Structure formats: C-alpha cells, structure tokens
Amino acid sequence: MDQLIIQGQHSLSGSVKISGAKNAVLPIMTAALMAEGESIITRVPDLRDTRTMIKLMEIVGARCSFKDNHLKIDASTVNNPEAPYDLVKTMRASFYVLGPLLARFGTVKVSLPGGCAWGPRPVDFHLKGLEKLGAKITLNSGYILAEAKRLKGAKINFEFPSVGATGNIAMAAVTAEGTTVIENAAREPEIVQLCKYLNQMGALISGIGTSRIIIDGVESLHSANIDVIPDRIEAGTFLMAGALLGKITLTDVNPDHLDSVLLKLKEAGSSIETTSNSITIEPGHLKAVDMSTAVYPGFATDLQAQWIALMSLAKGSSMATDTVYHDRFSHTPELNRLGANIKVENNTAFIRGVKELVGAPVMSTDIRASASLIIAGLVARGTTIVSRIYHIDRGYERIEEKFEALGAKIFRDKTSG
Ligand code: EPU
C-alpha cells in the first residue's frame, strides 16, 4: 500500500491542468453500453475508478481500449448483464449499469451496494424509479435482479434530487415506451453532460439542467463520441490549496461550474480572476466563513472536507454543515491529529481556526477526506504521512505530480503504508 510523504509549508505557484471529471465519465461509460458500435470518450481521467469501470465494461462483454486519456468502448459484444459484488463493493458507481443494461437486455443483475465509509448510502430511489417504469425488482443473495420486457414511461418524483438515481432512471427511460417525466431531478453538470450524451446517441431528453427532465422514449440508440467536462471537484481541491499556499492558475476548467465555491473563497479573503476556461487564485487574509453544502448549484459536498481543511487555518470560528451526507466527517479526527480544532455535532462541524498545523501520520478514509489531508499536510509544519492513499487514487489523477509541479514537496512511497 502506497503512502504520501509531504514536507509542508512550501509555497505553490504556477499552473495546473484540470483533468476530466470522474463523476461525469463513469455514467457516460455505462451509457455507451446501450448502443451497438464503438464510442470514443476523450479527456478520460486515468483513475482507479475509471479502471474499475473498464473492468466492469469488460465483464459485461464490451471491448475497451484506454490510452492517453482516450477510451474506446465497443458495446456490440455486450452479452452478460451482471455487475458482481467484488466490483460494486470497491466502487458504488458500478450501480450505474443497472438502468442501461435493463433497458438494453430486459434483465440485469447488480450487487446491492453496502454502506460506505461515512455511513449508509441507500439506492431506494433508483429501485423505486425503475419499478415506476414497470421493472420487476427482486433481491436475492445480495443481488438486485431487475426485469422488464420493455420499460414504460412514467412520472417519477424524487424525494431528493439524487445524482445517481437521476442518471440511472434517465438511462433506463430513454428507450422506454412513451414519455417519462423526472421531477426534482439532479442538476449537477455531470448529469447535464450525461443527458446531452444520451441525446447525441439518439435519445430525446428535454429540460436538461432543470429539475424537471422530460424523456420521450425512442426505439434504440446509436454509439456516439464525447469529450468529458473538467472535474470541478479536482479544481475546487486545488483552489483550496491555492487559498492557503500561493498564487496558482487552474487551466482547462469551467469556472461556471464552481460559482458557489468561488464566492465562498472570495468571502474568505482570496482574490480570484477567471477567464472562460481558467481560474487564478491568490491568497489573502484568510477569515472564517460559514458554509453549508447543497445540491448543485450549491457548494458541493465533495468539497466539504477540503473546505474544512482551509477553515482550520482561518482567523476566527466557522461552521460547515453537510446537508447532502449528514455523516461525512471522517476527515475531522485526522485533521485534529494535525492540530486543527474541529468538533462535529450532528451534520455540522464547528471549526476554530488555529495558527498552524503540525505534520503527523494520518489515514485516508475516502476520496475527498484524503484530499483534505493532503491540503492540510501541504500547509503543516514538518512532515505529514498520509496512508491508505488508494482512496485518493480512485478520484485524483496523479495528484502528487500536479502538486509537485506547483512547488510542493510531496512524494509517493511505494514501499510501505
Ligand atoms: N439517497 C437516498 N436514496 C437513493 C439515492 C440517494 O436516500 O436511492 C440520498 C443519499 O443518501 C444522499 C443524497 O440522497 O443523502 C444524495 O445522494 P446522491 O444519490 O446524489 O449521490 P450519489 O449519486 O450516490 C454522487 C457522487 C458522489 C457525490 C454525490 C452528491 C458519483 C459517482 N458520485 O453520488 O461523489 O458525493 O453524488 O453530490 O457521481 C465522490 O466523488 O467522492 C463522491 C462520493
């Protein structure tokens, strides 16, 4: 198991190129399973999760080739609509094959995901939505079996605008008979791109990017190519580091996807300049600012941990509330090991800013928690060792190389951990 060794307090400068978005490419890959023929996806981040999804594509029978961030998926040979436990347990996004494979084959078997590092993450909206579309759902030996000769359009109203359920139901509904209306749909840029991709494949989806998506079913889809949008969460992670450690420019990014994050960073004292595809951040006097996560266009829960790392060093006290995942605070005891002063009550972290953090061994618990520990390690006095970094490799492409190129002292130790 690799670990990251960070010598803190080296300032950052220069520019960093943002990779394609993990949470956009994963559902796009499963959408490609819906049509015979070859789809080419570009700007695919080379991540552990992308590789896991490629493995899953191959298990179901697709042929894939992945080189230089170009991914070819030939779904003509798909013949095994099943996602095994071994893969689903390492990556919940495997559940995204449910809708597409059910739509194409009339039957699909997918392992039911368990809890995750920060608590339960149910999939009931996905299942209820598919039932509304006419699927018969059964649970057997830990596997969901969904069956339907042809799905039928329906009106579906989500209790919460779930990203995954919106994606899964949209994919299932594009070839259903008749019209499907999804109310309270997710509006995240990754879901917007998925819906646009489905339209490129021949689907008829309108209301994309609003909370009411309308899908007129078509007979079948054809393959299509797509360039993945920039990863707004990777971008946000570098912005938090820049706010602490020096003027940096993010390139190949979409500032529009980061509106609420840029607003909070400005409120906290950073100077920010944007062009259509770049963001430059320069640290200012860092002050404590309250933040509450929300669904898009709100502040992303996937940046809550990194924000708390930033607020740990701000002047004053602040609160960070997570309204999307109420238990997502496994990073706070680790940040406290580095000298932060954070207490968590219910879904709110109370952060009292400290003058400095001091390096220590810490442990990653999930992708974004790891990112917050790296930021904290980069700014801490002395050496921080982050172990269990397979979590970070799931969602960040060559993160240590990118930080090193900005002037950080960070390296990967492959010998232990
Ligand atoms: N929820 C339910 N039932 C469901 C589905 C969701 O109760 O059937 C609840 C969840 O428990 C949560 C809320 O609805 O409280 C939102 O969950 P959502 O379904 O939107 O999350 P997801 O689709 O499982 C995606 C991202 C996550 C990100 C969330 C929220 C992917 C592959 N994953 O998960 O990303 O945190 O949306 O924005 O897109 C990450 O990248 O590190 C990550 C965890």
Side-chain angles (χ1 to χ4, degrees), residues 157-408:
N157 195 340
F158 289 131
E159 277 166 56
F160 187 90
S162 157
V163 172
T166 304
N168 238 334
I169 298 301
M171 290 189 277
V174 285
T175 54
E177 196 185 322
T179 300
T180 298
V181 179
I182 306 178
E183 302 278 6
N184 206 16
R187 298 161 59 197
E188 270 67 9
E190 295 76 18
I191 290 297
V192 168
Q193 186 169 45
L194 172 67
C195 290
K196 286 185 179 166
Y197 180 56
L198 289 167
N199 277 354
Q200 264 176 260
M201 296 175 79
L204 290 174
I205 309 179
S206 56
I208 297 175
T210 75
S211 50
R212 187 167 197 261
I213 296 179
I214 300 152
I215 303 167
D216 289 312
V218 295
E219 285 297 321
S220 63
L221 301 184
H222 52 80
S223 60
N225 303 336
I226 191 158
D227 192 51
V228 178
I229 55 169
D231 195 314
R232 64 195 168 101
I233 308 302
E234 185 199 22
T237 302
F238 278 99
L239 289 173
M240 311 286 172
L244 286 163
L245 284 156
K247 183 174 177 183
I248 59 169
T249 297
L250 281 52
T251 63
D252 291 56
V253 64
N254 185 341
D256 293 344
H257 293 167
L258 284 147
D259 273 350
S260 47
V261 174
L262 297 181
L263 217 64
K264 280 288 161 197
L265 285 167
K266 281 182 198 163
E267 234 184 285
S270 299
S271 304
I272 289 174
E273 275 173 35
T274 59
T275 67
S276 61
N277 62 358
S278 76
I279 305 175
T280 300
I281 183 160
E282 190 170 1
H285 289 295
L286 186 61
K287 54 176 186 283
V289 169
D290 293 341
M291 183 283 293
S292 187
T293 68
V295 296
Y296 191 81
F299 193 104
T301 172
D302 289 342
L303 286 169
Q304 175 258 99
Q306 302 88 317
W307 174 261
I308 289 182
L310 175 67
M311 283 298 109
S312 293
L313 285 156
K315 190 167 166 25
S317 296
S318 63
M319 294 192 289
T321 301
D322 202 317
T323 67
V324 179
Y325 286 113
H326 295 186
D327 305 316
R328 196 178 196 177
F329 291 103
S330 58
H331 43 285
T332 60
E334 298 299 308
L335 290 171
N336 284 346
R337 285 180 51 71
L338 298 172
N341 183 343
I342 309 163
K343 288 193 178 68
V344 177
E345 260 174 52
N346 302 317
N347 65 336
T348 298
F350 296 85
I351 311 144
R352 184 166 291 179
V354 294
K355 286 228 157 53
E356 69 166 6
L357 299 177
V358 181
V362 286
M363 204 167 73
S364 291
T365 46
D366 74 75
I367 306 176
R368 311 305 171 187
S370 322
S372 78
L373 296 176
I374 292 176
I375 294 171
L378 290 172
V379 77
R381 175 164 55 83
T383 305
T384 297
I385 300 172
V386 186
S387 58
R388 298 202 180 167
I389 56 161
Y390 51 85
H391 290 293
I392 198 97
D393 294 333
R394 289 188 50 195
Y396 288 86
E397 193 174 40
R398 299 177 286 102
I399 191 166
E400 73 277 19
E401 287 176 33
K402 289 190 180 188
F403 271 121
E404 208 179 4
L406 292 171

Side-chain angles (χ1 to χ4, degrees), residues 6-199:
I6 305 169
Q7 307 287 346
Q9 295 192 333
H10 290 275
S11 55
L12 303 182
S13 64
S15 70
V16 56
K17 188 173 166 182
I18 299 305
S19 300
K22 166 177 89 73
N23 291 345
V25 75
L26 296 175
I28 285 172
M29 288 167 74
T30 65
L33 294 178
M34 294 188 70
E36 290 199 4
E38 184 178 89
S39 302
I40 299 175
I41 311 173
T42 48
R43 206 188 206 221
V44 175
D46 191 352
L47 307 169
R48 189 182 275 255
D49 273 10
T50 320
R51 301 248 171 204
T52 304
M53 191 58 101
I54 291 173
K55 214 185 270 176
L56 180 52
M57 303 279 103
E58 289 171 343
I59 286 174
V60 300
R63 278 197 293 250
C64 300
S65 83
F66 184 38
K67 201 169 169 235
D68 299 334
N69 301 105
H70 280 51
L71 174 62
K72 279 188 204 162
I73 301 177
D74 185 346
S76 312
T77 48
V78 172
N79 58 0
N80 176 37
E82 176 168 341
Y85 177 61
D86 277 357
L87 288 191
V88 181
K89 78 171 187 221
T90 57
M91 186 185 70
R92 298 175 59 86
S94 312
F95 209 65
Y96 267 131
V97 296
L98 188 70
L101 291 181
L102 176 62
R104 182 164 165 193
F105 293 99
T107 176
V108 60
K109 196 175 156 193
V110 179
S111 171
L112 184 65
C116 81
W118 69 80
R121 283 175 75 189
V123 288
D124 52 329
F125 303 161
H126 304 237
L127 302 181
K128 281 185 210 155
L130 288 181
E131 276 176 336
K132 279 248 164 99
L133 295 177
K136 184 174 159 241
I137 309 274
T138 43
L139 175 69
N140 191 1
S141 304
Y143 278 79
I144 296 289
L145 179 66
E147 293 165 296
K149 270 215 178 79
R150 186 168 179 203
L151 295 165
K152 285 201 170 55
K155 190 163 175 174
I156 292 162
N157 195 340
F158 289 131
E159 277 166 56
F160 187 90
S162 157
V163 172
T166 304
N168 238 334
I169 298 301
M171 290 189 277
V174 285
T175 54
E177 196 185 322
T179 300
T180 298
V181 179
I182 306 178
E183 302 278 6
N184 206 16
R187 298 161 59 197
E188 270 67 9
E190 295 76 18
I191 290 297
V192 168
Q193 186 169 45
L194 172 67
C195 290
K196 286 185 179 166
Y197 180 56
L198 289 167
N199 277 354

